[in-house]
């Protein structure tokens, strides 16, 4: 399967929700809808801030522990981005529907998978951020995310950006990192065996992918572009997607 | 080209200080989509285009969305949910907390002469109070003059249509054709539409009520509005749409 | 408990008044469907149906399990319908609403009980091993007529689906991965589709096809007719509402048949297009595989 395709996104794909986005990258396709701020139920109501509700729905089967785990990770990350204090006692509801995930051609997939699927995380974060932007929910900053695997090949360790399921299976560790547009680390989840030095390397690679600022295209960024681990420029992608949306929305200006 | 000077901003981005209007006499006014982090930072919170007005020393972010967030003095099209002891509970958008409309907030209303509104009734009202910690309050009368100024319950044959908030804002502009780029209503009532007779009430909450004796006209106007909004048509596109619809609905 | 927003009185009255003049808010004829689109995903068994502003995604999957003790010769076939808050904030996770229950029952009756999928062909080892085929129906956007769109999506997804190939050798069952052997289609017997009529007016004298959400909230009754292109009726469901004239209902069934033929042609055509698109890579890949050996 082609894992190194450029990310693609479409905004406002669901006409009946406040904001929506469809995002596909590295074999994952996720559609998200955002509704809010709407009235929160009594049990979810916070006196001083909005409750951010995240629902992750798998393409097949019912959501289980795995989805709940992903939801809790997303919930805490996205609550940091959204200006929740602006909407006390309300609810911002984000539903992420997984449409497609890359299949491992060497294994027959089981419907119920208890194991954690970290590699889907970047697609979920990215779709959620795009949908929030499309809904015009006030946010502190935007975020970008990426997945990185470390594999040991012929005695030398290798860093793989956007690993395929096969590479995750054979690799030693998987890491998911998300950064805010201010360059702060928003989310870091790792799985497998790795050393601190390896993690540092993962961090630098992820940072280069997520936080490459568009104006600094020459010097430093160019160097990184040439590297094999370069990967896509997520921040630039986010910006150009939003720019085209804004231009289309404000065509009358 | 207009696109060249478009300054698109994303939440959390730094705004070029040269773009911030700096009138030494007036205080800087921040509109929707911006927040001030003391002491000096001004940060966008939504994705949109940064617009500044040096004359009024104000700046805001122009963007389009679907979920209405009440703001004082907005004119909205509300729907009565039910009547409580001395106010009506109204809905401004689906699934949001209801707004209150006092029974006496109508032109020359007293306890005995107040209008009786049934659940489901549409009301054209002004947001009198909007505060993040409280449910919004509406009124159908100007507090200073005591006049209705066109506000009040909507009666007569017609239908409400949903449009995006940005489109509703453009329709409400004083010179909607020049500033907002919507001429579709003028065209429908004018030459292109064959002089259709209808009236409209546009609410900032993304609802447009179209009233006419002829159901055909209501449908035609409603479709013209919704398609102009959805397909993002310019003046020329709107003219073509109106001609097409008028021909189709004959 | 969040509730679905009711349309305003003005809207309700107008919808009925306009229908009496043969007018619909979106300018359609009374028996006209909204633009219908069907696309398939990159994987087998993913169908995406758009009907105006209504959008349904169906995904078929299969795994090997143990058959039910009372049906040792049959495979397992389930259709899972769960409406998420994505459909509308009025739906909650894990709390089925009436809409959801009715939708899943209708799909069950139309697709599963009508024997569209040959469940006997899903049996691998009698009483021990069988295929469990599951279709997940995701309603992404709800603007009325979920039933017709969902049924079309389910049928399209199942017909597009390929399950892993298997073989039996000396009592040993082998399930091949997609890398080893090209997956095989399901044994499909006929394609049933749903056509839903909505009734308006005091005596339900106005029959309308493919109602939008607003129209659904105003209607006085509805009737879902499920049939295949040969005119074989799988089920007719008229759940409560105003009684409808029998002769009018017969007329509705006749119109339903013409619509079903259109749906059937659409699915056939899209499946053929998709096959062509896939075959480009498939044929070349096969050639390469030949060379490798």
């Amino acid at each position: 399967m082609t894992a190194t395709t450029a990310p693609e996104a479409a905004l406002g794909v669901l006409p009946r929700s406040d904001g929506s986005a469809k995002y596909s990258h590295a074999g994952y396709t996720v559609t998200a809808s955002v509704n809010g701020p709407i009235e929160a139920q009594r049990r979810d109501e916070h006196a001083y801030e909005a409750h951010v509700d995240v629902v992750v729905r798998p393409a097949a089967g019912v959501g289980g522990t795995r989805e709940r785990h992903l939801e809790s990770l997303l919930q805490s990350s996205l609550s940091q981005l959204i200006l929740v204090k602006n909407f006390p006692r309300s609810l911002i509801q984000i539903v992420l529907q997984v449409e497609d995930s890359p299949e491992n051609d060497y294994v027959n997939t089981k419907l119920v998978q208890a194991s954690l699927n970290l590699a889907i995380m970047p697609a979920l974060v990215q779709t959620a951020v795009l949908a929030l932007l499309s809904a015009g929910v006030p946010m502190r900053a935007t975020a970008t995310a990426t997945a990185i695997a470390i594999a040991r090949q012929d005695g030398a360790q290798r860093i793989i950006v956007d690993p395929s399921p096969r590479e995750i299976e054979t690799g030693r560790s998987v890491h998911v990192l998300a950064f805010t547009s201010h360059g702060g680390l928003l989310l870091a989840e790792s799985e497998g065996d790795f050393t601190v030095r390896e993690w540092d390397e993962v961090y630098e690679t992820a940072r280069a992918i997520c936080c490459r600022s568009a104006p600094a295209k020459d010097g430093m960024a160019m160097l990184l572009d040439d590297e094999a681990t370069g990967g896509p420029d997520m921040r630039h992608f986010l910006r150009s997607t939003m720019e085209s949306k804004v231009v289309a929305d404000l065509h009358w200006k | 080209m207009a696109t060249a000077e478009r300054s698109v901003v994303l939440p959390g981005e730094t705004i070029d200080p040269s773009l911030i209007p700096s009138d030494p006499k007036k205080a800087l006014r921040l509109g929707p989509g911006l927040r001030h982090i003391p002491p000096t930072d001004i940060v966008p919170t939504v994705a949109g285009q940064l617009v500044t007005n040096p004359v009024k020393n104000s700046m805001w972010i122009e963007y389009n969305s679907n979920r209405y967030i009440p703001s004082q003095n907005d004119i909205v099209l509300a729907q009565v949910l039910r009547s409580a002891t001395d106010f009506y509970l109204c809905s401004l958008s689906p699934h949001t907390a209801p707004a209150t409309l006092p029974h006496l907030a109508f032109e020359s209303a007293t306890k005995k002469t107040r209008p009786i509104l049934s659940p489901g009734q549409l009301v054209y009202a002004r947001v009198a109070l909007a505060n993040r910690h409280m449910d919004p309050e509406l009124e159908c009368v100007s507090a200073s003059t005591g006049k209705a100024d066109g506000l009040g319950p909507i009666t007569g044959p017609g239908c409400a249509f949903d449009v995006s908030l940005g489109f509703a804002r453009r329709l409400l502009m004083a010179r909607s054709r020049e500033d907002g780029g919507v001429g579709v209503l003028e065209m429908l009532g004018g030459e292109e539409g064959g002089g259709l007779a209808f009236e409209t009430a546009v609410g900032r909450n993304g609802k447009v009520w179209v009233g006419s004796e002829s159901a055909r006209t209501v449908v035609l106007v409603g479709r013209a509005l919704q398609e102009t909004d959805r397909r993002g048509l310019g003046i020329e596109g709107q003219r073509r749409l109106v001609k097409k619809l008028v021909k189709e609905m004959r | 408990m969040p509730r679905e927003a009711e349309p305003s009185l003005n809207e309700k009255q107008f919808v009925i008044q306009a229908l009496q003049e043969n007018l619909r808010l979106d300018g359609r004829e009374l028996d006209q469907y909204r633009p219908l689109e069907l696309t398939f995903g990159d994987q087998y068994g993913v169908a995406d149906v758009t009907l105006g502003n209504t959008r349904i995604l169906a995904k078929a999957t299969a795994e090997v399990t143990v058959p039910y003790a009372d049906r040792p010769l049959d495979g397992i076939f389930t259709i899972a319908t769960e409406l998420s808050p994505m459909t509308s904030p009025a739906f909650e996770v894990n709390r089925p609403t009436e809409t959801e229950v009715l939708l899943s029952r209708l799909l069950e009756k139309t697709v599963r009980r009508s024997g569209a999928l040959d469940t006997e062909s899903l049996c691998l080892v009698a009483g021990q091993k069988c295929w469990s085929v599951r279709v997940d129906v995701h309603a992404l956007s709800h603007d009325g007529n979920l039933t017709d769109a969902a049924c079309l999506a389910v049928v399209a997804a199942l017909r597009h689906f390929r399950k892993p190939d298997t073989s039996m050798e000396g009592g040993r069952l082998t399930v091949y991965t997609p890398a080893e052997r090209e997956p095989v289609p399901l044994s499909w017997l006929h394609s049933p589709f749903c056509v839903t009529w909505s009734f308006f007016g005091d005596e339900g004298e106005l029959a309308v096809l493919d109602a939008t959400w607003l129209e659904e909230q105003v209607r006085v009754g509805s009737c879902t007719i499920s049939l295949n292109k040969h005119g074989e009726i799988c089920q007719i469901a008229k759940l409560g509402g105003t009684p409808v004239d029998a002769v009018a209902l017969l007329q509705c069934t006749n119109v339903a048949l013409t619509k079903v033929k259109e749906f059937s042609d659409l699915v056939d055509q899209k499946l053929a297009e998709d096959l062509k698109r896939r075959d480009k890579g498939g044929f070349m890949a096969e050639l390469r595989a030949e060379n490798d050996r």
Side-chain angles (χ1 to χ4, degrees):
Chain A
M1 274 279 158
T2 46
T4 48
T5 46
E8 271 176 52
L11 296 181
V13 287
L14 305 176
R16 309 245 334 147
S17 53
D18 292 343
S20 55
K22 180 178 177 162
Y23 171 82
S24 24
H25 180 50
Y28 292 99
T29 303
V30 182
T31 295
S33 77
V34 168
N35 276 304
I38 54 177
E39 195 175 10
Q41 286 185 62
R42 235 348 121 64
R43 62 181 148 96
D44 297 331
E45 211 177 87
H46 298 313
Y48 295 102
E49 57 181 52
H51 175 70
V52 178
D53 183 25
V54 184
V55 181
V56 176
R57 290 169 56 82
V62 284
T65 341
R66 182 168 71 151
E67 278 70 29
R68 296 296 92 75
H69 182 204
L70 292 174
E71 281 167 17
S72 73
L73 290 176
L74 282 166
Q75 205 255 350
S76 51
S77 312
L78 294 174
S79 304
Q80 298 296 316
L81 293 177
I82 300 169
L83 287 165
V84 284
K85 292 264 184 337
N86 279 15
F87 306 105
R89 294 175 301 107
S90 58
L91 170 74
I92 292 169
Q93 195 166 46
I94 305 160
V95 188
L96 293 146
Q97 173 74 56
V98 180
E99 286 191 19
D100 234 341
S101 45
E103 259 173 24
N104 194 342
D105 275 352
Y106 297 89
V107 191
N108 274 314
T109 41
K110 274 274 176 208
L111 205 57
V112 184
Q113 288 170 320
S115 66
L116 179 61
N117 185 2
L118 268 186
I120 198 169
M121 210 48 197
L124 294 177
V125 172
Q126 222 64 79
T127 322
V129 168
L130 284 169
L132 283 167
L133 286 172
S134 129
V137 172
M139 292 200 284
R140 208 166 264 129
T142 55
T144 44
T146 191
I148 287 171
I150 298 183
R152 190 142 287 189
Q153 227 173 29
D154 315 323
Q157 64 132 333
R158 198 162 69 92
I159 285 188
I160 307 163
V161 179
D162 298 322
S164 69
R166 175 91 179 142
E167 285 164 332
I168 291 171
E169 196 188 72
T170 52
R172 289 179 63 233
S173 61
V174 195
H175 309 263
V176 171
L177 288 95
F179 294 86
T180 65
S181 50
H182 301 310
L185 183 62
L186 182 68
L187 170 92
E189 283 288 316
S190 305
E191 197 186 16
D193 291 339
F194 55 94
T195 61
V196 174
R197 183 201 283 244
E198 277 175 343
W199 195 87
D200 284 343
E201 213 167 306
V202 165
Y203 177 81
E204 288 308 325
T205 317
R207 214 183 137 79
I209 293 169
C210 294
C211 300
R212 211 178 300 163
S213 48
K217 252 279 174 281
D218 26 271
M220 185 62 186
M222 281 304 261
L223 278 173
L224 284 164
D225 267 338
D226 294 341
E227 269 180 52
T229 52
D233 182 349
M234 292 312 296
R235 193 180 274 184
H236 177 69
F237 163 73
L238 190 75
R239 199 178 156 83
S240 61
T241 309
M242 285 322 292
E243 259 172 20
S244 49
K245 187 237 175 197
V246 170
V247 169
D249 272 357
L250 304 179
H251 63 92
W252 50 276
K253 265 272 173 193
Chain B
M1 246 331 260
T3 39
E5 56 197 75
R6 246 181 233 288
S7 46
V8 174
V9 288
L10 293 189
E13 284 184 350
T14 359
I15 294 174
D16 190 347
S18 65
L19 291 175
I20 300 174
S22 50
D23 194 306
K25 293 200 192 83
K26 289 183 212 147
L28 180 67
R29 286 170 66 92
L30 296 185
L34 290 169
R35 74 182 178 131
H36 173 221
I37 305 174
T40 54
D41 288 353
I42 291 165
V43 184
T45 60
V46 293
Q49 183 190 355
L50 180 71
V51 185
T52 51
N53 185 338
V55 181
K56 288 183 178 158
N57 206 34
S58 64
M59 60 195 286
W60 69 95
I61 307 282
E62 190 78 55
Y63 68 106
N64 196 5
S65 66
N66 285 319
R67 176 65 57 179
Y68 177 67
I69 295 164
S71 157
Q72 205 168 353
N73 287 328
D74 277 357
I75 303 290
V76 293
L77 200 57
Q79 180 183 341
V80 175
L81 296 173
R82 60 192 168 85
S83 177
T85 45
D86 56 354
F87 53 86
Y88 293 109
L89 284 171
C90 304
S91 146
L92 295 181
S93 66
H95 313 294
T96 46
T100 57
L101 171 62
H103 283 168
L104 298 179
F106 294 90
E107 186 179 295
S108 60
T110 61
K111 279 226 160 111
K112 283 189 183 134
T113 61
R114 68 179 179 86
I116 309 289
L117 306 180
S118 44
Q121 170 81 51
L122 287 177
V123 187
Y124 203 35
R126 182 190 298 111
V127 179
L129 194 78
N131 179 320
R132 68 175 71 156
H133 289 287
M134 283 161 69
D135 290 343
E137 198 179 308
L138 308 176
E139 61 182 11
C140 287
V141 62
S142 164
S144 52
T145 62
K147 287 273 189 291
D149 293 337
L151 301 177
I154 286 183
T155 49
C159 191
F161 295 86
D162 287 335
V163 293
S164 70
L165 298 188
F167 190 68
R169 188 174 107 75
R170 285 158 62 194
L171 281 172
L172 277 169
M173 284 178 179
R175 300 186 310 149
S176 62
R177 190 175 190 140
E178 291 78 14
D179 296 341
V182 250
V184 65
L185 291 178
E186 272 174 46
M187 290 176 200
L188 285 163
E191 196 186 323
E192 291 90 341
L196 293 171
F198 62 91
E199 48 181 346
T200 57
V202 184
R204 275 301 290 271
N205 55 339
K207 286 190 187 298
V208 183
W209 179 79
V210 180
S212 170
E213 283 304 321
S214 146
R216 202 164 282 272
T217 306
V218 175
V219 171
L220 204 159
V221 175
R223 281 181 66 194
L225 286 172
Q226 283 184 323
E227 289 210 16
T228 305
D229 179 25
R230 192 171 48 81
R231 287 164 45 194
L233 297 178
I235 291 284
E236 204 36 55
Q238 292 169 28
R239 195 186 310 272
R240 272 198 296 274
L241 174 75
V242 167
K243 280 190 178 147
K244 192 192 109 202
L245 285 177
V246 168
K247 211 165 151 191
E248 213 179 282
M249 303 278 293
R250 268 274 140 74
Chain C
M1 182 76 198
R3 260 186 308 153
E4 196 60 67
E6 281 257 317
S8 69
L9 213 57
N10 307 46
E11 284 167 278
K12 283 184 188 169
Q13 286 165 351
F14 184 79
V15 168
I16 296 167
Q17 187 208 336
L19 280 173
Q20 272 156 354
E21 296 180 29
N22 273 345
L23 273 176
R24 295 175 81 170
L25 287 195
D26 44 12
R28 272 184 293 157
E29 300 292 323
L30 296 193
D31 61 350
Q32 192 186 353
Y33 266 77
R34 287 168 284 179
L36 180 63
E37 272 169 52
L38 169 65
T39 48
F40 294 106
D42 285 338
Q43 286 176 8
Y44 282 122
V46 181
D48 191 333
V49 171
T50 323
L51 185 62
N53 278 347
T54 294
R55 193 166 151 218
I56 306 268
L57 181 81
K59 186 182 168 93
T61 42
E63 61 177 342
V64 178
T65 49
V66 182
Y68 293 126
D70 54 337
R71 323 258 349 218
L73 295 176
D74 275 349
I76 300 169
F77 172 37
T78 39
I79 303 173
T81 324
E82 204 190 336
L83 300 179
S84 67
M86 186 182 261
T87 320
S88 152
F91 296 113
E92 271 181 277
V93 185
N94 296 330
R95 197 181 282 184
T97 54
E98 197 187 60
T99 326
E100 183 180 322
V101 174
L102 292 182
L103 176 64
S104 69
R105 283 190 193 150
L106 261 174
L107 291 178
E108 175 97 9
K109 279 190 245 173
T110 306
V111 184
R112 208 170 84 93
R113 296 270 293 273
S114 76
L117 176 65
D118 177 16
T119 47
E120 277 181 32
S121 73
L122 298 176
C123 178
L124 295 165
V125 184
Q128 287 175 21
K129 285 270 190 296
C130 71
W131 280 111
S132 163
V133 174
R134 179 191 165 101
V135 190
D136 285 87
V137 180
H138 304 294
L140 303 183
S141 177
H142 177 16
D143 190 20
N145 205 5
L146 282 180
T147 324
D148 296 7
C151 184
L152 192 106
V154 168
V155 169
L158 283 167
R159 286 184 57 187
H160 186 249
F161 184 58
R162 304 279 186 274
K163 66 175 163 40
D165 201 4
T166 53
S167 73
M168 282 290 287
E169 246 174 74
R172 253 182 67 92
L173 174 75
T174 321
V175 181
Y176 295 100
T177 60
E180 290 164 343
R181 270 196 198 180
E182 193 65 12
V184 290
L186 298 169
S187 156
W188 191 252
L189 300 178
H190 73 117
S191 301
F193 296 98
C194 292
V195 175
T196 304
W197 285 94
S198 299
F199 302 103
F200 296 85
D202 295 333
E203 278 153 27
E205 68 276 6
L206 283 165
V208 170
L209 269 184
D210 187 29
T212 60
W213 177 227
L214 178 59
E215 287 168 338
E216 279 190 4
Q217 284 173 304
V218 180
R219 70 185 175 192
V220 294
S222 74
C223 177
T224 303
I225 304 163
S226 310
L227 68 169
N228 61 21
K229 67 174 175 189
H230 308 296
E232 294 162 335
I233 292 182
C234 308
Q235 66 90 31
I236 294 182
K238 166 99 178 61
L239 308 162
T242 309
V244 175
D245 186 39
V247 183
L249 203 60
L250 278 178
Q251 182 56 37
C252 289
T253 322
N254 285 334
V255 179
L257 180 59
T258 61
K259 294 292 169 195
V260 164
K261 282 181 178 155
E262 284 171 35
F263 292 161
S264 204
D265 290 344
L266 176 82
V267 175
D268 287 348
Q269 180 211 333
K270 292 285 176 187
L271 278 171
E273 276 172 22
D274 186 71
L275 199 66
K276 219 183 225 169
R277 183 171 66 96
R278 273 165 203 279
D279 201 40
K280 256 185 233 155
F283 184 62
M284 289 306 289
E286 231 151 77
L287 274 183
R288 258 206 314 278
E290 250 1 276
N291 290 341
D292 286 349
R293 271 176 230 150

